[in-house]
Amino acid sequence: LTTTSTVNGCTNTAVVSAIANTVQPQVNAGPDQIINCSVSNATLTGSSPTSGVLYSWNPGGSTPSSSTTVVNAGGTYTLTVTNPVNGCTNTAVQSVVQNTTAPTLSVSSTQTIDCTTTSTTLSGTTTANPANYSWTGPAAGNPAGSTPTNSTTAISVGGTYTLTLSDAVNSCTSSAVVSVIQNTTAPVATSSVSAILNCTLTSVDAS
């Protein structure tokens, strides 16, 4: 800086030093998270080795201005940190994968048990792999049939049976119902003939 006097024309100089402070704060948004049918929310944990930074999550979650926030939906979350000393900012991104799709499930059609066919096999199919099966019935909650934790089970009693399927990957469930009709009522037998057999009458027509 140079100044000049308008009275005598003399000049003088001074030096001003400008120090640049434009260093961005460091930021880490943490590892990606997963939400499924057993884990309904995710905790996002950000950090910065830069002292005194301010945090801001977008979307915000439970505590958007904290380093840690809880969210309950899948998506991309951006953490912005600001250094209040120099006003510089930096961002990091964390992904939350939402896997809450229920598995597909189909069961066998209505079955019938009678005096000829005394048992039947119920079966269920799914695209989930691996999957956990649970057959119950005919009373609610009772394990059903010979192999109630398999995809198929053999039963010998009529009623309503429910297959509950759990996807072992995301813990989501589906259920389906199959009915078993029990037709084991004996026919009614009647005859209008009444007779006593003896040495003379050795047979009668009972039709």
Side-chain angles (χ1 to χ4, degrees):
L1 173 64
T2 300
T3 60
T4 302
S5 173
T6 58
V7 175
N8 60 11
C10 295
T11 62
N12 201 357
T13 59
V15 176
V16 177
S17 297
I19 300 174
N21 182 4
T22 58
V23 177
Q24 289 182 306
Q26 298 181 42
V27 59
N28 184 350
D32 292 344
Q33 305 285 329
I34 295 176
I35 292 175
N36 56 36
C37 290
S38 63
V39 180
S40 58
N41 54 53
T43 300
L44 311 183
T45 303
S47 62
S48 173
T50 306
S51 176
V53 295
L54 305 176
Y55 295 90
S56 176
W57 287 96
N58 184 34
S62 60
T63 51
S65 59
S66 173
S67 62
T68 300
T69 190
V70 177
V71 299
N72 57 13
T76 300
Y77 293 82
T78 301
L79 174 61
T80 301
V81 296
T82 302
N83 186 348
V85 174
N86 62 5
C88 294
T89 64
N90 203 355
T91 61
V93 172
Q94 183 172 159
S95 295
V96 176
V97 177
Q98 185 165 347
N99 182 4
T100 54
T101 302
T104 60
L105 174 63
S106 60
V107 294
S108 49
S109 58
T110 300
Q111 307 287 315
T112 299
I113 293 174
D114 56 29
C115 294
T116 302
T117 305
T118 58
S119 66
T120 188
T121 298
L122 310 180
S123 62
T125 58
T126 180
T127 56
N129 185 26
N132 300 315
Y133 298 87
S134 176
W135 285 99
T136 57
N142 287 353
S146 57
T147 52
T149 58
N150 287 359
S151 60
T152 61
T153 189
I155 58 94
S156 57
V157 178
T160 300
Y161 293 85
T162 301
L163 174 59
T164 301
L165 176 78
S166 174
D167 188 325
V169 175
N170 63 8
S171 299
C172 298
T173 61
S174 295
S175 62
V177 173
V178 58
S179 296
V180 176
I181 300 170
Q182 184 164 349
N183 183 9
T184 54
T185 303
V188 176
T190 61
S191 176
S192 60
V193 176
S194 177
I196 299 175
L197 299 179
N198 54 35
C199 293
T200 303
L201 184 61
T202 59
S203 66
V204 293
D205 184 357
S207 60

